[in-house]
Amino acid sequence: FCLLLCIPWGSSCPPSCQCTERAGAKAVLCSSRHLEEIPKDIPRDAVFLKLDANSITRIPSNAFRHLSHLEEIDLSRNAIEKIDRAAFKGVAAGLRTLDLSSNRIRSIPKEALLALNAKLRLANNPWHCECALQEVLWEARLDLDTVQDITCHTAPREEYVGKPLLQVLDAGVNFCSVRQRTMDVAMFITMFGWFAMVIIYVICYVRHNQEDASKHGHYLKSSLPSTQA
């Protein structure tokens, strides 16, 4: 009996959640439980995980690593601001739905989402329209019913603010090329700065040598009469 108590079956339910069966699969329901982080004792055999309507602010790396059976994760209506690159590592293969809508996400590393085969819901977040978000929109599997609600809360140009990202991209805008041009300009400015420093150094070096030579010439001229005497 003691040995049975010590065996980590992975089927216990977090105290702040409710575990039920849905179509023969385990569902872990943690909606509206005032959670500030993802529970660490979620059963390993969980298939459906609802964490919506809480106060979660971050999805750390490997948050679901041991939950290889997960098919649906609902993280909507939280206060998520940061998602680590390896946040969904370990669930990429079987995950079918990931809901991140109605949070506070401004940007997201593309590596966190592009490895997923899941259908993504990213609507109603204060997105900063940039290259990484554009690549997610192009390459990830987005829920077509919510893609129009991915809106630019901030953007490199004021005219894009408040517009759906899909509409901005359809107009021919490419945030990735803008970033590349910015990097090229920055590299050009850096190279120009180094080149200017080298020129200034050479000029100062030449002038310094000219001054030394001039001083040496004056010294010779002033010492020449006394030598003849």
Side-chain angles (χ1 to χ4, degrees):
F1 178 74
C2 293
L3 288 174
L4 290 174
L5 289 178
C6 295
I7 295 176
W9 292 103
S11 58
S12 61
C13 194
S16 56
C17 304
Q18 178 185 2
C19 296
T20 61
E21 295 286 332
R22 288 173 51 184
K26 176 163 288 187
V28 182
L29 310 179
C30 310
S31 305
S32 304
R33 300 300 175 97
H34 307 288
L35 298 176
E36 296 183 357
E37 60 181 15
I38 297 170
K40 294 179 170 47
D41 50 355
I42 298 171
R44 292 173 180 264
D45 56 347
V47 177
F48 306 101
L49 177 59
K50 288 186 65 65
L51 292 163
D52 56 301
N54 283 291
S55 302
I56 299 170
T57 59
R58 180 192 173 199
I59 306 178
S61 297
N62 302 311
F64 310 99
R65 184 178 62 179
H66 302 299
L67 305 176
S68 57
H69 298 284
L70 278 179
E71 295 182 6
E72 295 183 15
I73 302 176
D74 187 354
L75 285 159
S76 63
R77 296 183 294 153
N78 274 279
I80 298 171
E81 297 180 353
K82 180 175 177 56
I83 300 176
D84 292 355
R85 294 178 184 274
F88 303 104
K89 185 177 181 180
V91 297
L95 197 64
R96 295 184 306 176
T97 303
L98 174 60
D99 194 343
L100 294 169
S101 59
S102 301
N103 278 283
R104 301 176 185 174
I105 308 170
R106 297 190 69 253
S107 63
I108 190 170
K110 61 181 182 181
E111 296 84 358
L113 297 182
L114 294 185
L116 299 175
N117 294 320
K119 182 182 292 186
L120 303 175
R121 297 190 180 104
L122 305 175
N124 301 318
N125 281 287
W127 291 107
H128 174 65
C129 288
E130 56 180 350
C131 182
L133 182 59
Q134 174 180 312
E135 291 178 342
V136 168
L137 191 66
W138 280 350
E139 301 180 34
R141 290 184 57 219
L142 296 179
D143 185 353
L144 298 180
D145 294 333
T146 62
V147 68
Q148 287 291 346
D149 295 323
I150 302 176
T151 305
C152 296
H153 184 74
T154 57
R157 299 179 60 174
E158 188 67 26
E159 59 189 279
Y160 306 144
V161 175
K163 294 183 178 180
L165 176 59
L166 190 61
Q167 177 183 337
V168 174
L169 296 179
D170 286 342
V173 177
N174 189 336
F175 293 105
C176 295
S177 64
V178 170
R179 184 181 69 173
Q180 184 62 41
R181 287 198 299 269
T182 303
M183 292 176 62
D184 292 342
V185 170
M187 185 175 295
F188 174 77
I189 294 174
T190 302
M191 293 178 63
F192 179 80
W194 279 105
F195 185 69
M197 289 176 62
V198 171
I199 292 177
I200 293 172
Y201 174 79
V202 171
I203 293 174
C204 293
Y205 180 78
V206 171
R207 287 185 177 179
H208 180 72
N209 285 346
Q210 287 178 344
E211 291 176 359
D212 287 346
S214 177
K215 291 179 180 179
H216 187 64
H218 287 304
Y219 174 76
L220 291 177
K221 289 180 182 180
S222 61
S223 61
L224 184 60
S226 59
T227 302
Q228 290 176 347

